[in-house]
Amino acid sequence: MAQALLEEAFTSQEQTGEYWIHAELLRLRGELRAMEHRVEQAEQDFSEALSTARDQGARWFELRAATGLARHWLGLGRGQAAYDLLSTVLDGFTEGLGTFDFQAAKALLALCQVDGER
């Protein structure tokens, strides 16, 4: 069901030419694929979401994509890569530090430090 809804959203953005939410759709597809243990495809979606968000200057979508990718990497035992990515993205924020997304990313960053690679 979720996959079908995501594909419908991708189709809709192609039809309308409205790509402002493309990074978030990619991130959501990455989350779904990660839950399905489709490791390479999930990483590809997260990476593309991160790149798209950066290209669009969409900082919050960048944060959400980085958090998703870091969580994925941490689950694969790549805590150092997850830490490096999240710390870089988080360092760029000066506002919105109390938001749920920022706090979730900070909590994940702390987990990356405990992962034994830091």
Side-chain angles (χ1 to χ4, degrees):
M1 175 82 169
Q3 181 65 36
L5 290 173
L6 276 172
E7 291 310 317
E8 185 178 322
F10 280 111
T11 299
S12 178
Q13 77 178 356
E14 286 177 22
Q15 291 171 345
T16 64
E18 296 289 330
Y19 287 93
W20 63 271
I21 199 161
H22 189 65
E24 184 67 357
L25 292 176
L26 289 165
R27 182 193 68 80
L28 289 170
R29 188 169 66 188
E31 295 286 359
L32 181 62
R33 287 177 168 172
M35 288 189 294
E36 295 170 342
H37 306 288
R38 295 165 62 187
V39 176
E40 292 85 14
Q41 293 158 321
E43 185 164 340
Q44 182 179 348
D45 284 335
F46 286 131
S47 295
E48 190 176 342
L50 186 61
S51 177
T52 299
R54 286 177 174 162
D55 289 347
Q56 292 176 336
R59 297 294 315 278
W60 287 107
F61 287 155
E62 178 185 2
L63 177 63
R64 291 172 64 99
T67 302
L69 182 56
R71 187 180 311 108
H72 180 68
W73 282 345
L74 187 60
L76 297 173
R78 296 177 57 195
Q80 183 65 53
Y83 180 89
D84 293 345
L85 172 63
L86 269 183
S87 63
T88 300
V89 172
L90 287 171
D91 284 348
F93 279 85
T94 58
E95 297 180 88
L97 308 184
T99 63
F100 175 81
D101 287 334
F102 188 86
Q103 291 300 313
K106 272 185 63 174
L108 184 59
L109 184 67
L111 287 176
C112 294
Q113 289 177 306
V114 177
D115 187 42
E117 292 188 37
R118 260 223 179 276

